[in-house]
Amino acid sequence: MGRRYSHLAFGPRSLDRQVQAGSVVAYGADLETPDSGPQEITEREIRMLTSVFQFHLASVTPQGWPYIQYRSGPVGFLHHLGGNRFGFPDFYGNQQFVSVGNIEADDRVALFVADFPRRTRIKVFGRATVVDATADPALADILGHVDGRAIATPVERCVLIDVEAFDWNCARSLIPQFTAEMIRDRTQPYAERIVELQEEVERLRAELAAARGGDEPGS
């Protein structure tokens, strides 16, 4: 765990609990050194964050309450824009603009990103910025494409996130979940093999029937 995450996540009450549980040796020890600023993003974090099709975004309301929103798109819709910066397109929604308004008032956000099939998850702290598509068409165009193909839904806004800290969680209690597409991809070879075997059985049955017919008297 990086020092920055510990400084942002662990308050006095958390540390008291860690001391009682004995886990402070593994976690709270990071606080013995000064906060060294944003954690450096590595290829591992980039691969994880840019390979998902969904995540949960938490922001803070003006009243101080946490607000969690589910975000999704095609695999790769969360883009790495260099350094610690990531971005994703914001599409037409219910027009409440709660997350957008929260970010414009307080840029602190948190992401919970999980790869359920591989039972992997990462928590991210960052500072977000909202950019209207009309204000930066080039950015909207970048975020509106995945693997060179345009996303069907028009981009209304761009959300940029500068990562401050992150923490990889263990796989315990994370139940594997698979989309219909994932299941189809994994079972397709077996389905095709079943068809091949069924066709072979029918062919062998036809050959057997023909052979039996040829053995009949008077044939």
Side-chain angles (χ1 to χ4, degrees), residues 29-219:
D30 282 343
L31 298 178
E32 295 176 358
T33 57
D35 186 346
S36 57
Q39 292 173 236
E40 183 179 355
I41 290 291
T42 70
E43 287 298 321
R44 183 189 182 198
E45 288 78 48
I46 293 173
R47 284 195 302 271
M48 175 67 173
L49 295 175
T50 59
S51 66
V52 298
F53 65 90
Q54 62 179 350
F55 61 86
H56 288 84
L57 173 73
S59 56
V60 184
T61 71
Q63 294 76 24
W65 289 88
Y67 179 80
I68 299 176
Q69 187 177 51
Y70 173 79
R71 308 310 298 257
S72 64
V75 173
F77 83 108
L78 181 57
H79 297 251
H80 179 231
L81 300 175
N84 274 30
R85 173 164 287 191
F86 292 81
F88 64 91
D90 189 26
F91 308 115
Y92 179 87
N94 57 19
Q95 305 295 286
Q96 290 184 355
F97 304 112
V98 179
S99 293
V100 171
N102 289 345
I103 291 171
E104 290 179 334
D106 185 337
D107 64 357
R108 292 175 300 169
V109 296
L111 276 67
F112 178 82
V113 185
D115 183 336
F116 290 100
R118 296 182 178 87
R119 299 182 66 192
T120 305
R121 53 185 168 174
I122 184 174
K123 294 180 293 188
V124 176
F125 286 137
R127 294 187 177 276
T129 305
V130 177
V131 180
D132 287 336
T134 54
D136 195 336
L139 176 62
D141 185 64
I142 291 173
L143 299 185
H145 284 75
V146 174
D147 293 330
R149 293 178 294 180
I151 299 176
T153 307
V155 178
E156 291 199 344
R157 283 163 298 278
C158 306
V159 180
L160 304 178
I161 299 174
D162 292 303
V163 175
E164 293 277 339
F166 56 86
D167 177 42
W168 289 89
N169 283 158
C170 65
R172 186 179 62 188
S173 303
L174 192 64
I175 301 174
Q177 299 177 43
F178 301 87
T179 65
E181 183 179 17
M182 292 175 182
I183 294 174
R184 183 171 59 251
D185 290 343
R186 286 163 173 75
T187 59
Q188 188 62 31
Y190 301 103
E192 293 175 353
R193 182 55 178 159
I194 290 173
V195 172
E196 292 175 358
L197 293 174
Q198 289 174 331
E199 292 175 348
E200 183 175 357
V201 168
E202 292 302 319
R203 178 179 59 79
L204 292 174
R205 282 177 175 172
E207 292 178 358
L208 180 59
R212 287 175 176 175
D215 291 339
E216 293 179 0
S219 61

